[in-house]
Every structure is written in structure tokens, then in C-alpha cells.
């Protein structure tokens, strides 16, 4: 008993020593442009070695003896601020806005916001899927082949012209019919945010059109436990879903585990039209573990597993029976604690996608192409690589990031042709003959202030690429086309970009960007063999002699941030040289070739106006594309899209009415493809959220309120979009802090 009392007294004494006579400073650090809270911002006291960092709500707390201090507030990518505080025993509450130091060429949508602020405006918590997330960016449109795995297109460019990464790491699809864009393997509950670059100005990835980077979610930043679970239903496809996560942080370790289950039947398009064979089932699991090796270094292990079955692709000739994805990485972060060298990290990663599809469920006697035979197909893509990145702050407000990025893609795909007539013997085709692609890149990203108001960002990237095919059977088939030049390819590709920013005043920022970039052909464009393309009805063969596709592009941006009005506008032009597309070879066959040139131009605008609890928001996006060599529009360019929304935030509830209008698309590539025109359509969505106390939340809404029957222009074979869809989600959240 005496011992306990002694301990008790000493605890009181020590806390008295710590906090007695000390003054509390609390602060919130935000991004000066978006006013979003910033996590992990360093707060240092110039006089002495005390310091703190902001949590995931942007807050920090410090205890100091009464005196005058200078707080040094610093964060990667932001200008450092020095703030004088004079403590006279009164509690201090600070709000600090940091101005970005890097010219931002990415837009991001945060999935999960701060735990403490469930009605945070920045949190798009209604998002039901990764597709919903991608759709939120004006200028991003989705190609539909099913009610599953929509494929993104940025400013009219897609597939090999844009880049997809998870935490900056490459991932490729396995299906030769583009059933499985890499975006289909990450579920929304695994994600912290999605970063989209429109145009190829940020050269951290190689592309001519832009990039999508899915940033996975970390364990919670506060010590303790939390969990969240959600169950949901959507009426258009009778989708049942369940997802849950558990997060823990101790003194030096942290863990996050999440999983989701989804099952959907065939969906109904507008006017109650059933789209047969369009259901699917999908399971996803993710684990992230972090351990602090010491005060300055940390190791993070990350794994995502994704498993889907029985996916109907009503727009295509086949359905996928099974896909398996394993995505893993190890990251080592080191903080050298030098003012000019604050950050160093290394990542190694591995991912493997396997994909099976067949047409056993289809009536093969009735179809026009490849009639009277079944064609089971298999594909696998294995990608591994390493990234080493170092961040330097060489001078006042200047920023330099050097990255070495290597990856290897191994890809194989084959098919059997099984006639329904027993006297015809089966045939075997290798579609991708064990292609092995190596890519090594050195990237420098440098930002310097020119004056108080002008800044310059420059990106330089050098890629070394080599590739070949190794399956003898498949190599022989392809050599019928390319016997003279062989299948080996080797290229060195320099790329560069410049961005100039002018901060006209506190509310207006203007940017002008220019880029000259190149991208390697995709592995399909280089080496695929006998791939049927529904867009034009031809069988495609790759071309190992393709030159890289090159782009010269420019972008003018205007960002306005007033107290109640905010708006972004950008105008772009993209000239592609050696544009890669299929060239007619014989009545049923095309091969990939470089075309002399193609031009794309357009604009995006988005704006929002806040009055008290009401927000009025809108967006516009337009792209126009032309193939100069063929003298016709580029295929699959989205028409003018307009959105208008009204949102109201009450205490504990939120309601939004949103209208999407898509203009007709009459500019089509009808010489080289079967693309047809698409009529205009309008769609209305109504969404709401309601909080029941601290723990429970209900999300509900109706998408396509008027049950319009329509298809988007980027819908393959004019597959219609879902009709009226009621969705309901019930979310339960729980947390326990171990901090006192
Ligand atoms: Cu497939």
C-alpha cells in the first residue's frame, strides 16, 4: 500500500514538474490554398530543442515555460514559417496556414478525413467504389465494358498513354482484352487518397497523358485502437457489400487490417432494362504494418490481396471466371535530420495479377466472329521493382527531389480454340510470348523561387528501356511478321517539363506549364499476337519496331481562392508525335504502327461557392482530338460534360442534389473504327448522410433518379449505364485512445 502511495505521489510530482508553471500552446496547421489540415508538420522551438508534429487532424500541442519563442513550422513541399509567440501564462491557440512550395501539378481526393470531424467538407465519404473516386475529377472519364472495373481515360487518353501506380509503384493488367485495368485491384477502403495528374508535367511517372496514383491508408496516427465497419446495399444490381477495418498504434509500431466483400447480380439499366450476365463477386484484404526502427527511421510492410469471380462482361465476347492479385511492398524511410536533407526512402515491391476468362456461357454459334468455337484464355502479369528517393532543401524555399526508379514486367497470355465440332482439332495460340520489360528511370524534380511572387518548377526524366520475348512457340508466330528485325527493343528516352507560377495576390495563382515527353509502347503494342479488338473488329498484332510515342504539351492554369468562392480553370493543348494505333494490313488484321501526329485540346473548370451551410458547386470538361494522319477525329474522346450540385450541411446531416449533363458526341473515328455517335443525356443524383450519435452513420442516396436509359460515349459496344440505383450504407465507428 505504501509503495502504491509512493508511486502515486511521484506521478503527481513528475506531472507537476512537467506541466506545473508551463503554458499550453495548441495549434492547427492547414494548407494555405485548400485550407485542409496538414498531417506530420514539424513544429520546432528555435530556442531549445523542444518540438512536436501535427496529428492526422492537423493539430499539435506543446507545453513551454513563460517566455518569448520562435516556432519553426516546416513541412515537405511547403514554405517554412517562423512564428513569434510571447507566452505570459495564458493558453495560446494558433492557426497556421502554410503556402505550398512546390508547384502542384496533381489534384487529390481524400477518401477518409479526420476521425474527429466526421462532417469535414473535404471528406467524400459517400464514395462507394474506386470508380466513384475516379469520376470525381473533371477531365477523367471511364470506359465501360461491364458493371465492374471501369477503365480511366484522362483528357481523352488512356491505357499505355497514362500511368497507374499504387503508392508510386507500377502495376499492370493481365487480361489482353483490357477487362482488368490496374485500378480494379484497389478497393476504396484501402485508400487514403487518389492523386491525379492531368497531362505529363509531373514526371514522377512516364506518360504522355497523365497519371493516377492510389495512396494506401496508414494505420491511425494517435496511440490506441480504432475500428470501422460498413454494410451496404445497392438496388440496381442487388449489390451486397460488407467492409471493415481495424487500426492500432503503439509506441513504436502500428498495424492496419481491412477487408471487403462484394456480390452483385446482373444490373438494370434505365427504363428497367435488365443487362443479362453482368454480375460479379469480389473479395479484398489489406494489411499494413509499420515499425519505428529508431527515432529517425521506419519500416513499412504493405500487402493487398484481391480476388474476384464470375464477372460478366456484357460488352465483350467473354466473361472473366477468376482474377487473383497479390500486391506487396516494403518501404524504408529515413530522416537524416539535416535542414538541407530531410527525407530519404527506399521501396521494393512485387505484384502479380492472374486472370482467366472464357466464353463457355455464350452462344458461340450465333456470333459473327470466331463462330462455332470456345476460346478459354489465361493471362498473367508480374511486376517487381525498386524506388530510391531523396529530398533536399538546397536553399531558401527551393526543393529538389531525386528518384531512381526501376521495374520489371513479365507478361504471358495464351488461348485455346476448341471447336464445337468433334472432327476439328483444337488449336493453341500464345498471345503474349513471355514478354520481359525492364525500365530504369532517373528523375529530378526541382523548384526554385525566382522572386516573391514567381516560382519555377522543372522536371527532368531519363528512361532506359529494354525488352524482348522468350516463349519460343509465341516468338515463332510473331516472327512471321517481324523476322527481319527481331523482337528485341532498346531505347533511351529523355523527357522534360517546366512550370512557371505567378502568385498575383493572396487569392489568385496563375501557372503555365510546358512538357516534351516520351513514353515506351505498352507490352501489348510491342508484342501482342492475334488479339481481337471490338472497337473496329480487327485482330491486332504488336510491333517490336515501334518508336516511342512523343508529346509536346502545354497547360495554362488559374486558381482562385476567395473567402466564399473558389475556382480552378485550365486550358490544355497536347500534340502527339508517333501516335500509336492500328494500321490496316489485310481484311481481318491490323498491326500497331506509329502515325505522324494527333492533336488534343480542351479545358476543365470547377468552382464552388459557400454561403453558410449551403454549397453550390459546378464543373465543366471538354476535350477535342484529331488524328492528322488519318484525317478524322481521335476515337473515344468524351463530349462536353457539365455538373451542378447543391449541398447543405446541417448539424449531424448532409444532403446533396447533383446534376450531370453530357452533350452529344458527333465527332467519331468512323474511318478507322466502328465508333458511332452518342446522344446527350442528363442524370440526377440525390445523396445524404446522417449521424446517429458518435458511432453510427447512415449513408443513403438515389443515383440516376429519373431512371434515364443512356450510355456514355466511352461505353464499349454502347453498353448502357445503370438505371435508378438506391443505395444504403450503415457505418459503425469505434475508437479507444491509450494516450492520457
Ligand atoms: Cu479477360
Amino acid at each position: 500500500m505504501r509503495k502504491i502511495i509512493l508511486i502515486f505521489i511521484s506521478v503527481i510530482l513528475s506531472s507537476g514538474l512537467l506541466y506545473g508553471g508551463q503554458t499550453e500552446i495548441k495549434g492547427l496547421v492547414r494548407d494555405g490554398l485548400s485550407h485542409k489540415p496538414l498531417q506530420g508538420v514539424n513544429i520546432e522551438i528555435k530556442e531549445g530543442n523542444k518540438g512536436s508534429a501535427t496529428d492526422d487532424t492537423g493539430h499539435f500541442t506543446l507545453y513551454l515555460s513563460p517566455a518569448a519563442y520562435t516556432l519553426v513550422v516546416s513541412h515537405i513541399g511547403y514554405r517554412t514559417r517562423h512564428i513569434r509567440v510571447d507566452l505570459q501564462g495564458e493558453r495560446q491557440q494558433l492557426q497556421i496556414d502554410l503556402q505550398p512550395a512546390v508547384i502542384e501539378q496533381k489534384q487529390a481526393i481524400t477518401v477518409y478525413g479526420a476521425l474527429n470531424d466526421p462532417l469535414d467538407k473535404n471528406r467524400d465519404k459517400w464514395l462507394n467504389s474506386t470508380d466513384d473516386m475516379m469520376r470525381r475529377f473533371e477531365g477523367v472519364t471511364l470506359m465501360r465494358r461491364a458493371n465492374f472495373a471501369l477503365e480511366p481515360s484522362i483528357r481523352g487518353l488512356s491505357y499505355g498513354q497514362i500511368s497507374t501506380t499504387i503508392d508510386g509503384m507500377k502495376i499492370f493488367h493481365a487480361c489482353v482484352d483490357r477487362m482488368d485495368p490496374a485500378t480494379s485491384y484497389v478497393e476504396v477502403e484501402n485508400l487514403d487518397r487518389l492523386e491525379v495528374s492531368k497531362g505529363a508535367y509531373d514526371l514522377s511517372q512516364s506518360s504522355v497523358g497523365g497519371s493516377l496514383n492510389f495512396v494506401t491508408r496508414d494505420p491511425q496516427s494517435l496511440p490506441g485502437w480504432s475500428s470501422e465497419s460498413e454494410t451496404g446495399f445497392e438496388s440496381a444490381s442487388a449489390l451486397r457489400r460488407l467492409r471493415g477495418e481495424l487500426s492500432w498504434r503503439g509506441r513504436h509500431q502500428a498495424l492496419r487490417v481491412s477487408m471487403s466483400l462484394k456480390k452483385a447480380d446482373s444490373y438494370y439499366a434505365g427504363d428497367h432494362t435488365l443487362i443479362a450476365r453482368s454480375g460479379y463477386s469480389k473479395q479484398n484484404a489489406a494489411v499494413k504494418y509499420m515499425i519505428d526502427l529508431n527515432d529517425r527511421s521506419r519500416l513499412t510492410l504493405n500487402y493487398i490481396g484481391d480476388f474476384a469471380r464470375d464477372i460478366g462482361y456484357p460488352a465483350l465476347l467473354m466473361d472473366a471466371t477468376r482474377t487473383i492479385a497479390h500486391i506487396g511492398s516494403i518501404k524504408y524511410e529515413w530522416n537524416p535530420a539535416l535542414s538541407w536533407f530531410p527525407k530519404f526512402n527506399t521501396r521494393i515491391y512485387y505484384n502479380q495479377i492472374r486472370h482467366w476468362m472464357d466464353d463457355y456461357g455464350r452462344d458461340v454459334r450465333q456470333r459473327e466472329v470466331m463462330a462455332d468455337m470456345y476460346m478459354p484464355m489465361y493471362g498473367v502479369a508480374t511486376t517487381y521493382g525498386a524506388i530510391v528517393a531523396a529530398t533536399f532543401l538546397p536553399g531558401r524555399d527551393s526543393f529538389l527531389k531525386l528518384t531512381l526508379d526501376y521495374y520489371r514486367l513479365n507478361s504471358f497470355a495464351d488461348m485455346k480454340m476448341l471447336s464445337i465440332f468433334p472432327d476439328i482439332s483444337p488449336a493453341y495460340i500464345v498471345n503474349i510470348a513471355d514478354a520481359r520489360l525492364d525500365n530504369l528511370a532517373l528523375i529530378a524534380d526541382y523548384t526554385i523561387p525566382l522572386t516573391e511572387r514567381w516560382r519555377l518548377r522543372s522536371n527532368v526524366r531519363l528512361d532506359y528501356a529494354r525488352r524482348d520475348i522468350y516463349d519460343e512457340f509465341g516468338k515463332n508466330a510473331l516472327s512471321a511478321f517481324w523476322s527481319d528485325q527481331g523482337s528485341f527493343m532498346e531505347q533511351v528516352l529523355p523527357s522534360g517539363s517546366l512550370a512557371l507560377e505567378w502568385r498575383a495576390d493572396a487569392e489568385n495563382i496563375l501557372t503555365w506549364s510546358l512538357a516534351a515527353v516520351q513514353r515506351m509502347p505498352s507490352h501489348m503494342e510491342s508484342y501482342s499476337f492475334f488479339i481481337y479488338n471490338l472497337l473496329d473488329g480487327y485482330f491486332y498484332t504488336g510491333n517490336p519496331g515501334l518508336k516511342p510515342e512523343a508529346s509536346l504539351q502545354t497547360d495554362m492554369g488559374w486558381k482562385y481562392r476567395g473567402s466564399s468562392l473558389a475556382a480552378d480553370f485550365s486550358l490544355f493543348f497536347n500534340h502527339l508525335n508517333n501516335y500509336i494505333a492500328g494500321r490496316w494490313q489485310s481484311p481481318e488484321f491490323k498491326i500497331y504502327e506509329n502515325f505522324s501526329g494527333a492533336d488534343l485540346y480542351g479545358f476543365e473548370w470547377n468552382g464552388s461557392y459557400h454561403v453558410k451551410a449551403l454549397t453550390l458547386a459546378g464543373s465543366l470538361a471538354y476535350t477535342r482530338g484529331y488524328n492528322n494522319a488519318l484525317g478524322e477525329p481521335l476515337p473515344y474522346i468524351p463530349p462536353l460534360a457539365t455538373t451542378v450540385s447543391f449541398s447543405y450541411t446541417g448539424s449531424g446531416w448532409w444532403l446533396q442534389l447533383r446534376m450531370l449533363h453530357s452533350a452529344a458526341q458527333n465527332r467519331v473515328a468512323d474511318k478507322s473504327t466502328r465508333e458511332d455517335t452518342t446522344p446527350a443525356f442528363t442524370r440526377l443524383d440525390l445523396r445524404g448522410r446522417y449521424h446517429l450519435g458518435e458511432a453510427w452513420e447512415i449513408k443513403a442516396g438515389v443515383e440516376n433518379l429519373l431512371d434515364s436509359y443512356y450510355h456514355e460515349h466511352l461505353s464499349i459496344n454502347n453498353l448502357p449505364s445503370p438505371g435508378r440505383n438506391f443505395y444504403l450504407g450503415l457505418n459503425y465507428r469505434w475508437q479507444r485512445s491509450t494516450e492520457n
Side-chain angles (χ1 to χ4, degrees):
M1 189 64 195
R2 207 169 157 186
K3 208 172 175 182
I4 291 171
I5 290 169
L6 266 179
I7 291 169
F8 188 57
I9 289 169
S10 69
V11 167
I12 290 175
L13 276 178
S14 64
S15 60
L17 283 174
L18 263 175
Y19 301 121
Q22 298 219 327
T23 304
E24 184 187 70
I25 310 181
K26 276 181 177 279
L28 167 66
V29 185
R30 306 185 308 172
D31 179 298
L33 285 179
S34 67
H35 295 161
K36 289 179 186 173
L38 291 173
Q39 179 187 350
V41 178
N42 273 312
I43 320 290
E44 274 180 87
I45 306 299
K46 213 173 175 184
E47 302 81 3
N49 53 9
K50 261 198 160 175
S52 180
T54 57
D55 61 20
D56 61 358
T57 68
H59 288 93
F60 70 90
T61 310
L62 277 167
Y63 296 94
L64 297 168
S65 331
Y69 297 97
T70 305
L71 302 187
V72 183
V73 185
S74 62
H75 192 48
I76 293 284
Y78 288 84
R79 295 191 190 198
T80 300
R81 279 190 65 181
H82 297 250
I83 292 165
R84 291 291 294 171
V85 284
D86 198 358
L87 295 181
Q88 301 299 342
E90 291 278 293
R91 271 176 150 219
Q92 291 255 359
Q93 191 90 32
L94 301 170
Q95 180 164 304
I96 302 161
D97 286 351
L98 291 184
Q99 297 303 321
V102 175
I103 299 172
E104 202 46 73
Q105 279 151 337
K106 286 178 183 149
Q107 281 186 330
I109 282 185
T110 305
V111 186
Y112 288 89
L115 275 173
N116 303 346
D117 183 9
L119 276 180
D120 184 279
K121 270 186 206 143
N122 305 316
R123 208 176 60 148
D124 282 298
K125 198 56 209 297
W126 63 269
L127 298 167
N128 293 322
S129 68
T130 309
D131 295 340
D132 284 342
M133 254 178 119
M134 293 191 283
R135 224 190 275 278
R136 287 300 311 274
F137 295 86
E138 58 283 346
V140 176
T141 38
L142 300 178
M143 305 176 89
R144 174 183 293 279
R145 297 176 173 85
N147 197 25
F148 184 86
L150 275 60
E151 183 188 354
S153 157
I154 303 175
R155 289 179 169 174
L157 298 176
S158 61
Y159 192 57
Q161 296 163 319
I162 63 174
S163 154
T164 304
T165 50
I166 299 176
D167 294 325
M169 296 173 270
K170 291 298 278 185
I171 178 166
F172 292 91
H173 67 108
C175 174
V176 293
D177 289 338
R178 288 167 72 170
M179 282 177 174
D180 66 333
T183 50
S184 66
Y185 297 107
V186 276
E187 282 292 315
V188 72
E189 80 276 352
N190 297 336
L191 298 176
D192 180 68
R193 62 187 187 277
L194 167 58
E195 298 172 340
V196 172
S197 293
K198 297 176 204 166
Y201 305 102
D202 181 301
L203 297 184
S204 55
Q205 300 301 328
S206 169
S207 81
V208 292
S211 62
L212 297 124
N213 182 34
F214 292 88
V215 181
T216 59
R217 202 177 176 203
D218 284 343
Q220 61 175 38
S221 61
L222 301 171
W225 290 88
S226 71
S227 83
E228 189 172 339
S229 51
E230 185 174 310
T231 171
F233 179 78
E234 297 187 26
S235 68
S237 60
L239 171 73
R240 291 82 77 194
R241 59 181 178 80
L242 181 69
R243 60 192 186 207
E245 67 164 277
L246 187 66
S247 185
W248 166 78
R249 183 174 291 272
R251 276 178 71 85
H252 300 295
Q253 296 173 74
L255 180 72
R256 183 180 181 276
V257 180
S258 69
M259 65 97 200
S260 84
L261 307 171
K262 277 183 181 177
K263 191 157 173 47
D265 299 337
S266 291
Y267 74 97
Y268 282 89
D271 296 334
H272 215 71
T273 313
L274 180 68
I275 306 300
R277 302 191 59 82
S278 61
Y280 63 88
S281 79
K282 191 175 198 268
Q283 293 120 44
N284 185 289
V287 184
K288 193 182 255 193
Y289 171 71
M290 287 177 162
I291 179 164
D292 294 335
L293 302 174
N294 53 49
D295 285 353
R296 291 190 194 157
S297 60
R298 169 185 286 174
L299 201 64
T300 304
L301 311 180
N302 196 19
Y303 167 79
I304 298 173
D306 192 274
F307 315 94
R309 273 180 189 277
D310 303 325
I311 311 156
Y313 283 83
L316 305 182
L317 298 178
M318 298 198 191
D319 301 305
T321 49
R322 201 173 175 204
T323 71
I324 299 175
H326 296 292
I327 302 161
S329 67
I330 301 174
K331 179 161 107 176
Y332 171 76
E333 290 166 284
W334 177 50
N335 173 5
L338 297 168
S339 61
W340 58 275
F341 182 21
K343 205 171 165 184
F344 174 86
N345 74 64
T346 302
R347 283 164 281 175
I348 54 171
Y349 64 97
Y350 174 91
N351 58 70
Q352 185 180 61
I353 315 286
R354 282 177 289 164
H355 176 91
W356 290 264
M357 60 179 167
D358 63 50
D359 45 6
Y360 293 139
R362 304 297 183 97
D363 185 354
V364 297
R365 288 164 205 267
Q366 293 301 314
R367 72 178 170 211
E368 276 174 41
V369 64
M370 311 283 279
D372 301 332
M373 63 171 83
Y374 293 109
M375 301 176 292
M377 300 178 84
Y378 167 71
V380 56
T382 306
T383 310
Y384 52 89
I387 302 171
V388 181
T391 301
F392 303 96
L393 302 172
R396 186 179 162 269
D397 290 338
S398 60
F399 170 95
L400 173 67
K401 187 177 179 187
L402 295 176
T403 308
L404 194 66
D405 184 337
Y406 165 77
Y407 72 82
R408 151 67 76 89
L409 163 67
N410 289 356
S411 180
F412 177 84
D414 65 3
M415 70 187 276
K416 291 188 191 102
M417 295 158 89
L418 309 170
S419 174
I420 56 171
F421 306 114
D423 52 324
I424 299 179
S425 51
Y428 175 71
I429 287 180
V430 170
N431 300 101
I432 301 177
D434 190 14
R436 299 180 199 171
L437 288 73
D438 288 294
N439 202 94
L440 178 68
L442 180 67
I443 306 132
D445 179 353
Y446 186 42
T447 299
I448 37 164
L450 301 174
T451 68
E452 270 300 300
R453 294 180 179 279
W454 290 84
R455 284 186 305 151
L456 184 71
R457 178 178 177 182
S458 150
N459 273 209
V460 181
R461 180 182 173 106
L462 191 68
D463 280 279
Y464 168 71
R466 54 179 288 158
R467 51 182 65 176
D468 206 344
I469 46 175
Y470 292 86
D471 179 273
E472 284 305 318
F473 184 88
K475 200 170 176 168
N476 282 339
L478 204 64
S479 67
F481 291 82
W482 310 114
S483 56
D484 48 333
Q485 66 180 71
S487 53
F488 177 71
M489 279 176 98
E490 189 174 33
Q491 291 279 350
V492 175
L493 297 82
S495 297
S497 75
L498 277 179
L500 192 61
E501 180 190 86
W502 178 46
R503 286 175 180 250
D505 53 44
E507 294 173 335
N508 290 284
I509 299 177
L510 281 94
T511 47
W512 174 69
S513 311
L514 182 70
V517 295
Q518 302 183 74
R519 64 122 179 153
M520 282 298 285
S522 71
H523 64 292
M524 298 277 295
E525 290 160 341
S526 294
Y527 297 125
S528 62
F529 177 68
F530 201 69
I531 306 288
Y532 184 66
N533 185 345
L534 264 172
L535 308 188
D536 55 10
Y538 283 84
F539 289 92
Y540 272 64
T541 295
N543 178 355
L546 281 176
K547 290 192 274 285
E549 195 172 83
S551 158
L552 186 64
Q553 52 186 288
T554 184
D555 188 301
M556 283 165 68
W558 174 31
K559 211 182 258 264
Y560 175 79
R561 292 290 179 273
S563 54
S564 55
L565 185 70
D568 289 317
F569 178 75
S570 50
L571 188 68
F572 68 91
F573 174 74
N574 191 350
H575 174 73
L576 295 172
N577 219 351
N578 291 326
Y579 177 75
I580 298 171
R583 188 188 291 279
W584 192 89
Q585 209 209 7
S586 62
E588 285 189 322
F589 295 92
K590 280 190 180 180
I591 51 174
Y592 285 106
E593 284 283 359
N594 293 109
F595 286 81
S596 56
D599 290 320
L600 292 121
Y601 55 92
F603 65 89
E604 290 114 26
W605 172 85
N606 78 63
S608 62
Y609 181 68
H610 302 274
V611 224
K612 291 181 180 151
L614 192 72
T615 303
L616 171 65
S619 72
L620 282 171
Y622 180 70
T623 305
R624 203 174 163 99
Y626 198 74
N627 185 333
N628 300 318
L630 296 178
E632 66 172 356
L634 287 174
Y636 293 93
I637 300 295
L640 178 70
T642 314
T643 68
V644 181
S645 73
F646 300 89
S647 312
Y648 189 85
T649 308
S651 78
W653 61 277
W654 173 87
L655 199 67
Q656 183 188 65
L657 180 68
R658 182 170 176 270
M659 185 208 73
L660 163 71
H661 177 77
S662 174
Q665 180 57 288
N666 297 314
R667 293 171 46 83
V668 291
D670 49 9
K671 285 185 203 166
S672 63
T673 74
R674 291 176 180 170
E675 185 185 24
D676 61 355
T677 59
T678 300
F681 67 86
T682 303
R683 168 184 151 158
L684 284 176
D685 298 329
L686 182 67
R687 304 179 189 284
R689 278 203 321 245
Y690 182 70
H691 279 266
L692 292 161
E694 283 282 291
W696 294 89
E697 184 185 24
I698 295 173
K699 306 191 296 186
V702 196
E703 293 169 328
N704 192 0
L705 193 65
L706 305 176
D707 201 29
S708 316
Y709 182 91
Y710 70 94
H711 69 270
E712 292 185 71
H713 185 66
L714 271 69
S715 185
I716 306 304
N717 262 357
N718 298 342
L719 183 67
S721 295
R724 186 184 296 130
N725 180 38
F726 293 93
Y727 69 85
L728 183 69
L730 186 64
N731 188 296
Y732 177 75
R733 186 181 289 164
W734 168 89
Q735 63 180 320
R736 176 172 295 168
S737 172
T738 53
E739 201 178 44
N740 41 34

